[in-house]
Amino acid sequence: QTLRQIAEFSPKSQLHCGEIIDAPAFKFRGYMDDIGRNFRTIDQLKKVIDLMSRYKLNVFHAHLTDYPAWRLESKAYPKLTAPETRYPTRLPKRGYTQAEMRELVVYAAARHVEIIPEMDMPGHSTYFKRATGVDMQTEKGVEILKTQIAEWAKIFPSQYFHIGSDEVRIRMKSFIPSMVAAVRSHGKTVVQWYK
């Protein structure tokens, strides 16, 4: 990519002998897209990943759940991705199958881009309550989330798993520790928003 960038700005794309010394200043060079809120097609996401790779960004933070929708197919709880539970103004019929997301993960990896998923909890979860009939901060809600974490852990090979946990009052004292333990049980490192 460095060579390509140099060539673009060289007269007539001619390159002379030289030495390229190039190393990233930061381990993670990322981009976040709130596709739970604003849906993008897989083709659109592939274009984003192509651009990221071009400019040496290596982490795509896929924010897959938000107030309007839970965008990734759930085999265990199909109602989570049912169009009737989504906001009618935010492309309610659009979501991703697990197969589509696996395809995107492979596509990104081939371009040296890691996809880190975010399952926002317990905030930004209006869709969750509408779809399941329970709040995330209940025993049943925790059970459903643990099942979803297990499903997602099989789709995303990333070491990291984002659980959100911002912009909401945590009422259930065991909620965050339970979710952290669930993520770690799949060999993942927990990431969450600070404040």
Side-chain angles (χ1 to χ4, degrees):
Q1 298 297 1
T2 302
L3 192 59
R4 180 181 287 161
Q5 288 168 356
I6 292 168
E8 278 180 355
F9 296 103
S10 299
K12 299 180 185 177
S13 294
Q14 292 178 349
L15 297 175
H16 300 284
C17 291
E19 182 181 2
I20 295 174
I21 299 170
D22 190 14
F26 302 99
K27 180 180 177 182
F28 299 111
R29 300 167 310 283
Y31 173 81
M32 192 270 279
D33 199 336
D34 190 346
I35 47 185
R37 191 178 299 256
N38 298 300
F39 179 83
R40 310 266 186 270
T41 66
I42 291 292
D43 284 343
Q44 287 171 324
L45 293 179
K46 284 180 177 179
K47 287 177 184 172
V48 167
I49 287 165
D50 286 341
L51 281 169
M52 288 177 65
S53 175
R54 182 102 167 85
Y55 293 100
K56 306 176 207 169
L57 299 178
N58 66 344
V59 173
F60 179 76
H61 175 166
H63 194 313
L64 286 156
T65 68
D66 211 310
Y67 288 121
W70 185 285
R71 297 290 182 184
L72 182 55
E73 173 190 26
S74 170
K75 302 280 191 188
Y77 295 95
K79 278 195 165 185
L80 271 176
T81 48
E84 61 269 17
T85 63
R86 297 178 178 154
Y87 281 12
T89 57
R90 297 293 178 109
L91 299 172
K93 295 183 179 175
R94 304 304 300 269
Y96 310 104
T97 65
Q98 290 189 10
E100 286 174 323
M101 194 50 64
R102 282 190 178 94
E103 175 197 338
L104 188 67
V105 166
V106 169
Y107 185 89
R111 286 148 184 83
H112 307 285
V113 175
E114 175 181 359
I115 298 179
I116 297 177
E118 179 176 350
M119 184 186 296
D120 210 340
M121 58 177 88
H124 298 248
S125 57
T126 312
Y127 61 85
F128 184 92
K129 194 165 187 177
R130 276 198 310 268
T132 65
V134 297
D135 189 278
M136 285 183 173
Q137 294 189 73
T138 61
E139 282 185 34
K140 182 62 178 173
V142 166
E143 177 189 320
I144 293 168
L145 287 169
K146 284 181 178 178
T147 303
Q148 291 311 287
I149 288 167
E151 280 192 53
W152 286 28
K154 291 174 187 168
I155 296 167
F156 299 98
S158 174
Q159 169 191 342
Y160 301 99
F161 194 111
H162 204 301
I163 64 169
S165 73
D166 63 324
E167 300 176 341
V168 67
R169 186 170 161 262
I170 310 290
R171 301 182 316 275
M172 186 180 186
K173 283 188 177 182
S174 63
F175 183 82
I176 296 296
S178 280
M179 295 299 97
V180 168
V183 170
R184 287 179 177 164
S185 75
H186 296 282
K188 308 285 186 185
T189 299
V190 177
V191 181
Q192 67 186 96
W193 295 113
Y194 179 69
K195 297 222 179 199

